[in-house]
């Protein structure tokens, strides 16, 4: 038999949390941002499963109970960190795909834009790259399914751009479009192993331009 007082306590905290968010309190928002930043740092260094709310609380100089005033769970922290950014990147990729630019220019914009997004939202997107969507807790399955759909749409956008280039004759058919798309994503995403915008001697845009130049040079169709 469960303790009847626990749901009441959690409900009370949840109500206070919802009320605080609705009031648009600057101090509350700043503290949430501080907790998010601390969580992102720990998720990146220790992984999602290796990080606990106690670790996050210690990082921001509070206790676990106090965190519940800002976030309901570790899962909510992670989801808030990455969901909106990942969806925004998808919208950007699909907008580039649907533009009137030639395929090589679309691919360049996508590569540079993704790299810049990694820097702008550092380390949130890199934390997301480390998360295995196939191995999440049952209570996060709905979120994981949503994110897998977003991932597939992003992959499709890149694949479509490459296929367009092959069809228009600006990109050579060096392999299946989806294989080339995965190669592009892998090259840019691997920067999670070494790139830190706060310490890198080369900024994100320059890295993106370099990668785009290499990729496009390799995929450029020969002109007869």
């Amino acid at each position: 038999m469960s303790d009847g007082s626990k749901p009441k306590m959690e409900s009370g905290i949840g109500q206070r949390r919802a009320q605080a968010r609705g009031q648009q309190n600057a101090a509350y928002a700043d503290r949430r941002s501080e907790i998010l930043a601390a969580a992102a740092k720990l998720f990146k260094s220790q992984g999602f499963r290796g990080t606990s709310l106690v670790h996050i609380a210690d990082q921001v100089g509070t206790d676990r109970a106090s965190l519940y005033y800002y976030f309901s769970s570790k899962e909510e922290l992670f989801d808030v960190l990455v969901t909106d950014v990942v969806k925004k990147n998808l919208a950007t990729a699909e907008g580039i795909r649907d533009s009137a630019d030639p395929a090589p220019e679309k691919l360049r914009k996508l590569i540079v834009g993704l790299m810049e997004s990694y820097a702008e939202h550092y380390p949130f997107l890199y934390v997301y790259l480390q998360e295995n969507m196939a191995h999440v807790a049952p209570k996060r399955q709905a979120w994981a399914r949503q994110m897998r759909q977003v991932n597939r749409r992003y992959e499709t956008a890149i694949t479509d751009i490459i296929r367009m280039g092959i069809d228009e004759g600006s990109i050579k058919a060096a392999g299946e479009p989806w294989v080339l798309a995965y190669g592009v994503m892998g090259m840019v995403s691997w920067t999670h192993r070494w790139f830190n915008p706060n310490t890198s001697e080369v900024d994100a845009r320059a890295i993106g331009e370099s990668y785009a130049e290499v990729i496009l040079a390799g995929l450029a169709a020969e002109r007869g």
Side-chain angles (χ1 to χ4, degrees), residues 120-138:
E120 180 183 356
H121 302 288
Y122 181 87
F124 300 165
L125 283 175
Y126 285 155
V127 171
Y128 177 67
L129 288 176
Q130 295 173 194
E131 180 72 348
N132 188 336
M133 293 295 105
H135 297 91
V136 299

Side-chain angles (χ1 to χ4, degrees), residues 3-219:
D3 180 357
S5 65
K6 186 175 180 182
K8 291 181 181 178
M9 180 188 70
E10 291 179 345
S11 176
I13 292 174
Q15 290 174 0
R16 289 173 57 209
R17 183 170 56 243
Q19 184 178 21
R21 292 180 186 178
Q23 291 175 343
Q24 297 182 340
N25 182 289
Y28 183 85
D30 288 345
R31 186 59 166 168
R32 267 177 60 90
S33 295
E34 183 182 356
I35 293 169
L36 283 168
K41 180 179 179 181
L42 290 171
F43 288 156
K44 187 170 192 299
S45 62
Q46 301 177 185
F48 177 79
R49 282 169 287 279
T51 300
S52 69
L53 285 178
V54 173
H55 294 143
I56 298 168
D58 289 344
Q59 186 75 15
V60 295
T62 188
D63 54 49
R64 175 177 172 172
S66 297
L67 288 185
Y68 288 116
Y69 181 53
Y70 299 91
F71 296 95
S72 63
S73 64
K74 180 178 75 169
E75 288 76 15
E76 184 191 4
L77 268 165
F78 183 85
D79 296 354
V80 169
L81 281 171
V82 301
T83 301
D84 287 347
V85 178
V86 171
K87 288 182 176 180
K88 180 181 177 181
N89 280 354
L90 169 62
T92 298
E94 291 183 335
I96 292 172
R97 178 196 61 193
D98 298 338
S99 71
D101 290 328
E105 183 58 24
K106 292 180 180 181
L107 196 55
R108 179 183 298 279
K109 286 182 177 179
L110 190 144
I111 292 168
V112 175
L114 181 58
M115 194 64 222
E116 288 183 320
S117 184
Y118 284 156
E120 180 183 356
H121 302 288
Y122 181 87
F124 300 165
L125 283 175
Y126 285 155
V127 171
Y128 177 67
L129 288 176
Q130 295 173 194
E131 180 72 348
N132 188 336
M133 293 295 105
H135 297 91
V136 299
K139 63 182 177 181
R140 299 180 69 220
Q141 284 299 321
W143 174 81
R145 283 194 297 271
Q146 180 187 32
M147 290 297 97
R148 285 196 293 268
Q149 290 174 354
V150 171
N151 291 346
R152 284 194 292 270
R153 285 176 60 185
Y154 195 94
E155 294 160 5
T156 297
I158 302 178
T159 302
D160 287 347
I161 291 172
I162 292 173
R163 184 177 290 111
M164 289 173 187
I166 293 173
D167 291 345
E168 73 186 20
S170 60
I171 291 177
K172 67 181 177 183
E176 291 292 331
W178 68 267
V179 172
L180 300 177
Y182 276 113
V184 171
M185 289 186 294
M187 186 174 187
V188 182
S189 298
W190 189 252
T191 57
H192 82 276
R193 297 297 297 269
W194 57 268
F195 177 69
N196 181 333
N198 301 314
T199 59
S200 177
E201 295 180 1
V202 182
D203 65 28
R205 182 171 187 82
I207 294 170
E209 292 283 4
S210 296
Y211 283 178
E213 188 65 29
V214 170
I215 291 168
L216 291 172
L219 291 178

